[in-house]
Amino acid sequence: MSAQYDLVKVPTGSNEEKEELLYPRIVSSGTIDTETLIERISQSSTFTPGDLKGALQEFTHSLTEYLKDGYTVELGEIGYFSPSIKGRGVKNKKDIRSTSITFKSVNFRANKKLRRNLRGDLQRSTNGFRQSAQVGEEERLRRLLHYLEANFFITRVQYTHLTGLLKNRALAELRKFVTDGLLEIKGSGNRLVFIRKTSL
């Protein structure tokens, strides 16, 4: 299997002479979770899944501790991890207080060898980028209410199948229905469900 790409329009030039050029962008093949990665490594090495999970936990702990101390951490031939911080802008150094400066995120820079090993064949995607299906808002609401007439609750995944909305848009719309007083949230995390508000 080869990675796939599609072309997207990117505006270039000044406002007066704006031109849209097509540039290649990678099309995601999905997400490989930790369990899948560990299973693959275990099958091609002498390490057990338990060994790999333990090592990963220790790597994560040590990496976090060094980043908290301001270090850049090199992880084998994978790359470099470094911390980033955030704080409000000031005109004078005396106006800033250390308590207002916090860690923001972790930056990653791939190792040169890793980047070099990525060279390979790319294929033009036949399906392009995944987009939410073009189902109108009224129709989505009708489908939701019809579904809840026969079912006690609906999950984000079920709402995606029902309406064609991708993950983030589907979840955002369900939460909007909660704000509007149509639905209620029950559970959390992977067990998050939405039910019809009983007062309606």
Side-chain angles (χ1 to χ4, degrees):
M1 178 180 176
S2 299
Q4 297 186 336
Y5 70 92
D6 200 5
L7 300 171
V8 295
K9 291 182 179 180
V10 178
T12 60
S14 64
N15 291 333
E16 296 179 356
E17 301 177 353
K18 223 166 213 187
E19 182 183 9
E20 287 188 337
L21 297 179
L22 293 170
Y23 286 91
R25 293 288 185 272
I26 195 80
V27 175
S28 175
S29 300
T31 300
I32 300 299
D33 61 24
T34 306
E35 292 295 330
T36 302
L37 189 60
I38 285 177
E39 185 64 28
R40 175 167 179 169
I41 296 172
S42 176
Q43 291 176 354
S44 61
S45 70
T46 58
F47 299 109
T48 68
D51 292 335
L52 294 167
K53 288 179 182 179
L56 182 58
Q57 287 178 349
E58 290 303 316
F59 269 122
T60 303
H61 175 74
S62 296
L63 174 66
T64 303
E65 291 301 310
Y66 278 121
L67 291 174
K68 284 165 63 176
D69 289 338
Y71 287 97
T72 293
V73 180
E74 179 184 7
L75 186 58
E77 295 178 351
I78 295 176
Y80 302 84
F81 296 84
S82 59
S84 66
I85 59 176
K86 63 180 179 179
R88 62 184 179 87
V90 295
K91 293 182 178 180
N92 192 307
K93 290 182 179 181
K94 294 181 181 180
D95 295 335
I96 197 74
R97 295 186 179 182
S98 59
T99 54
S100 66
I101 302 175
T102 58
F103 284 103
K104 179 183 179 182
S105 186
V106 176
N107 299 320
F108 172 71
R109 178 167 55 89
N111 182 284
K112 186 182 294 185
K113 186 173 182 179
L114 177 63
R115 296 198 304 270
R116 190 166 58 243
N117 288 340
L118 280 176
R119 292 174 183 168
D121 294 331
L122 286 164
Q123 296 179 354
R124 176 76 184 273
S125 172
T126 56
N127 298 320
F129 295 103
R130 290 187 64 203
Q131 296 180 347
S132 293
Q134 299 301 311
V135 178
E137 186 174 348
E138 289 186 8
E139 175 61 17
R140 296 198 300 268
L141 179 58
R142 188 196 68 77
R143 293 183 185 184
L144 172 65
L145 296 178
H146 180 73
Y147 183 89
L148 290 176
E149 286 177 2
N151 301 273
F152 179 67
F153 65 84
I154 188 169
T155 66
R156 193 282 306 165
V157 173
Q158 290 164 339
Y159 192 63
T160 289
H161 290 318
L162 198 67
T163 64
L165 293 182
L166 297 183
K167 180 179 179 180
N168 290 341
R169 282 195 62 192
L171 187 58
E173 185 155 280
L174 286 169
R175 292 188 181 278
K176 177 181 178 295
F177 289 144
V178 172
T179 303
D180 293 344
L182 180 65
L183 301 177
E184 291 183 71
I185 293 179
K186 298 291 183 182
S188 61
N190 293 333
R191 298 183 178 180
L192 187 70
V193 299
F194 299 82
I195 66 173
R196 184 81 182 265
K197 198 161 185 179
T198 54
S199 59
L200 294 177

